[in-house]
Amino acid sequence: MTDFFKKKDLTRREAEKIINDTLLNKDDGELYLQDSINENVTLDDGKIKNTNYSKTYGMGLRGVCEDVTAYSHTNSIDKSSLINAAKNVNSTLNSFKNYKHNNSLKKTNEKLYENHNPIEEKSLKEKIDLLNTVDKYVRSKSNLIKQVTASISCERKNIEILKTGGLSLTDNQPLISFRISLMMKKGLKNTQGSYASGGRMSFDNYINENNWKKVCDEAFRQAEMNQEAKKAPAGEMDVVLNNGWSGVLLHEALGHTLEGDFLYKKTSVFHDQIGNKIGNNNITVVDEGNIEGRRGSLNMDDEGEKTQRNVLIENGRLVKFMHDRLSAKLTNNEVTGNGRRENYMFAPMPRMTNTFMMNGVNSREEMIKSVKDGIYVDALGGGSVDIVSGQFNFAVNNAWLIKNGKLIMPVEGATLIGSGPEVIKKIKMVGNDLKLDNGFGTCGKSGQMVPVGLGIPSCKVSMTVGGSKI
């Protein structure tokens, strides 16, 4: 763990005094210190395309009064930088007098991941050798494969949060991911497949031969399936969603609308719906930041609060939003451990961790059999959402046409279009096969990117499909 005050002109005692002098007359705040290293190695078409090695080092001081946040950050951890940061925070908040200082935290001794450093666990040569092995394995599957891109990303992130009264909280956050994409060409038709895996664990625990081969096999399956795909139909129809990564639709179309800053700003479509039914009895949605080893998990959030299991929707009823300390205060709710930031250059905000829908009672086979005309979404792609309205648009990587309860043929070019508040009402069946994603989600909000997890059981829902009539 990094000692941020070792061999510096800023001692821990001096830092604590500056923090106390600055924040004791504020409602809330902290000093956030970060020392992290990132490494990315990418192989493209049998050649190492790039190797990136970067370091993020610095601190950010936050003060909060009422609904106003003052934040100052610097890439130097020294006495003069901290004094200047304190002056900046004070100058912004000097007009506030009636403060209610809050230094209470839900602390934890939970260890959701070991103190690994995946960057140092394997040499750069070993990582390059592995990527070359991956390339050969993928190309051996078919002579139709024309391009292979594989990458390994590793991060070691050490943070310390200092509050008033000398309260210090530390965490070491490892993160690793492996990604593969490939292109197949048959005649004039090109198809693509991509997949990835990741988590907060050691290199060998995650990128072992069994795991990386599964990732490669899935990417190959996606590309091969679309070789015979026809144009997708369009219109309002029943859609059966595959379990796992299809939870990205839940994350984007619903999860963001339940983040606490949109509650106190009253910009969420659900800001006045707490306690109301917003879906059928089969729908229970959870955000859980303390699942061992998961990409979206944290021992503590970026305010030092314990992460936890938060039931957001229970049997169709909206019961809770996700909160950081500020949104909880402004809406008179409990902190939920969802205060997150990309790095020291940003103040925290309410963000998801691992967000998923709980199991229902139906099998996927039952859902497909119940559809007269529709599609089965085998692999969902990326998309976008308007958080205020909940309107979304998602690309579909792989899908099957359903006719009279049977999968007829693969289709391509489909998009899913709709509104989160409307779609949740149109979920007709919820599967009994909940699966969390494979650990490669990254969520963007207000210019900040954070790693997240998501998941969903298979679902049958009525929605608009964009495509071309067959």
Side-chain angles (χ1 to χ4, degrees):
M1 194 71 199
T2 302
D3 183 353
F4 290 98
F5 302 100
K6 185 179 181 181
K7 296 180 180 179
K8 301 281 194 316
D9 72 340
L10 175 65
T11 66
R12 182 173 293 274
R13 181 172 295 181
E14 288 172 331
E16 290 172 353
K17 183 178 187 307
I18 294 171
I19 293 167
N20 285 338
D21 291 345
T22 306
L23 299 181
L24 280 173
N25 64 343
K26 310 291 187 297
D27 291 346
D28 202 358
E30 72 285 311
L31 178 67
Y32 179 93
L33 304 115
Q34 176 186 347
D35 177 17
S36 62
I37 298 174
N38 295 75
E39 181 186 63
N40 178 273
V41 187
T42 301
L43 179 142
D44 185 32
D45 257 359
K47 299 178 181 178
I48 294 299
K49 184 177 181 180
N50 61 60
T51 59
N52 294 325
Y53 187 91
S54 62
K55 184 179 179 69
T56 303
Y57 186 81
M59 62 181 177
L61 180 64
R62 179 178 68 144
V64 179
C65 286
E66 297 180 8
D67 62 345
V68 176
T69 295
Y71 196 72
S72 182
H73 66 85
T74 172
N75 60 3
S76 298
I77 300 178
D78 54 53
K79 189 172 182 179
S80 63
S81 297
L82 183 55
I83 290 173
N84 287 332
K87 288 179 179 177
N88 291 335
V89 169
N90 282 324
S91 66
T92 303
L93 302 176
N94 60 9
S95 62
F96 293 91
K97 303 298 181 185
N98 299 318
Y99 58 88
K100 297 179 181 178
H101 186 66
N102 178 16
N103 199 32
S104 61
L105 283 169
K106 295 179 186 175
K107 291 183 285 186
T108 179
N109 292 320
E110 219 166 23
K111 292 296 180 184
L112 305 174
Y113 33 83
E114 298 298 323
N115 187 11
H116 293 296
N117 187 343
I119 294 176
E120 295 180 353
E121 288 172 346
K122 295 289 182 182
S123 68
L124 179 59
K125 181 181 183 304
E126 287 175 305
K127 292 166 187 169
I128 292 173
D129 288 344
L130 174 57
L131 291 176
N132 281 312
T133 301
V134 167
D135 183 79
K136 291 177 183 177
Y137 173 78
V138 174
R139 291 180 186 277
S140 70
K141 299 178 76 66
S142 172
N143 59 10
L144 298 178
I145 295 175
K146 302 304 178 184
Q147 184 173 4
V148 177
T149 303
S151 64
I152 296 171
S153 298
C154 303
E155 180 182 57
R156 185 226 66 200
K157 184 177 183 180
N158 292 328
I159 67 168
E160 180 171 1
I161 296 173
L162 285 175
K163 305 279 288 185
T164 55
L167 177 60
S168 169
L169 304 104
T170 61
D171 197 17
N172 176 291
Q173 300 168 354
L175 192 63
I176 189 167
S177 64
F178 167 69
R179 183 177 297 272
I180 182 83
S181 63
L182 60 93
M183 183 186 75
M184 297 180 68
K185 185 173 183 179
K186 184 178 182 180
L188 298 176
K189 188 168 185 177
N190 292 325
T191 59
Q192 294 182 328
S194 63
Y195 204 56
S197 66
R200 297 193 183 277
M201 53 192 69
S202 72
F203 193 100
D204 283 333
N205 279 350
Y206 219 88
I207 307 183
N208 55 52
E209 182 171 344
N210 186 48
N211 278 337
W212 68 252
K213 282 187 175 180
K214 286 181 180 179
V215 174
C216 295
D217 292 346
E218 174 60 19
F220 176 78
R221 186 192 70 84
Q222 291 182 18
E224 186 179 47
M225 176 178 162
N226 277 342
Q227 283 288 316
E228 307 302 326
K230 306 300 182 183
K231 295 296 182 183
E236 186 77 14
M237 65 186 72
D238 284 333
V239 175
V240 178
L241 297 171
N242 193 6
N243 61 352
W245 178 248
S246 294
V248 68
L249 192 152
L250 178 78
H251 171 102
E252 294 289 358
L254 186 67
H256 278 297
T257 66
L258 301 182
E259 291 171 331
D261 46 350
F262 301 119
L263 175 61
Y264 74 76
K265 294 174 184 176
K266 296 185 178 180
T267 52
S268 167
V269 291
F270 295 118
H271 77 270
D272 57 353
Q273 296 295 307
I274 294 180
N276 294 343
K277 277 274 193 178
I278 62 172
N280 66 50
N281 289 337
N282 292 324
I283 298 171
T284 295
V285 177
V286 172
D287 183 85
E288 189 168 357
N290 57 350
I291 306 174
E292 186 174 351
R294 297 298 304 181
R295 181 172 170 86
S297 294
L298 295 166
N299 290 325
M300 64 180 188
D301 74 2
D302 292 323
E303 298 181 292
E305 294 280 355
K306 178 185 184 300
T307 55
Q308 62 187 42
R309 177 183 174 89
N310 296 296
V311 178
L312 309 176
I313 301 171
E314 187 170 25
N315 300 326
R317 191 179 304 279
L318 177 60
V319 294
K320 184 186 286 189
F321 276 66
M322 292 165 279
H323 291 287
D324 63 359
R325 290 170 63 86
L326 178 60
S327 69
K329 180 188 72 170
L330 295 176
T331 59
N332 196 29
N333 282 291
E334 290 187 359
V335 179
T336 62
N338 289 91
R340 304 191 64 187
R341 66 182 101 199
E342 179 177 337
N343 55 45
Y344 74 89
M345 291 181 277
F346 299 93
M349 68 175 86
R351 302 293 298 271
M352 285 173 275
T353 56
N354 303 298
T355 313
F356 51 92
M357 185 186 294
M358 297 299 293
N359 271 328
V361 298
N362 301 110
S363 70
R364 187 185 310 168
E365 291 73 20
E366 288 175 321
M367 297 180 205
I368 293 172
K369 286 180 180 179
S370 71
V371 175
K372 182 179 180 181
D373 290 291
I375 64 169
Y376 166 60
V377 174
D378 183 74
L380 193 62
S384 61
V385 63
D386 183 304
I387 293 173
V388 176
S389 66
Q391 292 289 329
F392 63 80
N393 187 306
F394 280 90
V396 177
N397 290 345
N398 297 93
W400 286 82
L401 182 69
I402 305 175
K403 286 285 187 182
N404 298 318
K406 294 182 178 180
L407 301 179
I408 301 300
M409 62 181 176
V411 292
E412 62 182 356
T415 57
L416 303 183
I417 304 166
S419 158
E422 291 303 314
V423 162
I424 194 172
K425 295 175 184 177
K426 295 180 179 180
I427 295 177
K428 301 175 181 179
M429 302 171 77
V430 178
N432 55 11
D433 56 353
L434 169 63
K435 179 184 176 183
L436 298 183
D437 77 291
N438 218 36
F440 54 87
T442 299
C443 174
K445 177 182 174 182
S446 300
Q448 295 192 51
M449 307 297 289
V450 297
V452 295
L454 46 88
I456 200 171
S458 300
C459 290
K460 176 185 170 183
V461 56
S462 178
M463 69 172 73
T464 301
V465 176
S468 302
K469 290 286 188 181
I470 295 178

